[in-house]
């Protein structure tokens, strides 16, 4: 399975946190960072080269859509740039992977 972790990055200071969250995962994935707002150019300035680097403007949904358009056919898990993700976060997603399924986590796993 072609698994990607996509992180819209709008806060330049959160880049180290984003890299830590991604590296902590027990399930490995390719990393896509979508720089937006004040964070445009921060990966280049920090010498960070994710597997996919995009820049996008707009509302959060539009920024996420930029990544989805670039990753058609991939299994995509989104992470926020200011949240902490435990080591099995992505593994839980991948275990529930099914074509056409949207998986989200709030208090409990939900399946639409």
């Amino acid at each position: 399975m072609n698994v990607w972790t996509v992180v819209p990055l709008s806060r330049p200071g959160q880049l180290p946190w984003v890299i830590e969250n991604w590296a902590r995962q027990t399930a490995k994935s390719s990393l896509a960072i979508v720089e937006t707002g004040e964070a445009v150019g921060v990966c280049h300035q920090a010498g960070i080269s994710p597997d996919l680097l995009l820049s996008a403007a707009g509302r959060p949904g539009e920024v996420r859509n930029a990544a989805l358009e670039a990753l058609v056919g991939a299994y995509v898990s989104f992470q926020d740039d200011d949240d902490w993700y435990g080591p099995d976060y992505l593994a839980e997603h991948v275990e529930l992977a099914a074509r056409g399924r949207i998986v989200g986590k709030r208090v409990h796993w939900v399946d639409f």
Side-chain angles (χ1 to χ4, degrees):
M1 182 182 323
N2 185 12
V3 180
W4 284 80
T5 297
V6 174
V7 184
L9 179 65
S10 62
R11 303 164 187 94
Q14 294 299 107
L15 181 58
W17 189 251
V18 166
I19 301 301
E20 286 177 32
N21 273 323
W22 175 74
R24 176 183 310 117
Q25 299 306 304
T26 56
K28 297 306 171 195
S29 67
S30 298
L31 177 62
I33 295 178
V34 186
E35 297 175 328
T36 187
E38 295 176 14
V40 172
V42 73
C43 286
H44 178 71
Q45 292 169 2
I48 301 294
S49 298
D51 300 296
L52 178 63
L53 179 61
L54 301 170
S55 294
R59 298 182 308 264
E62 294 169 324
V63 172
R64 288 176 182 244
N65 285 343
L68 290 175
E69 289 173 13
L71 297 171
V72 171
Y75 183 83
V76 175
S77 175
F78 286 100
Q79 292 184 0
D80 292 332
D81 65 359
D82 64 343
D83 288 341
W84 185 89
Y85 294 90
D88 294 325
Y89 180 83
L90 184 58
E92 290 181 71
H93 267 273
V94 172
E95 286 177 22
L96 296 170
R99 185 162 177 75
R101 176 182 274 180
I102 297 172
V103 177
K105 191 171 186 179
R106 187 175 168 120
V107 175
H108 303 285
W109 282 101
V110 292
D111 182 8
F112 298 98

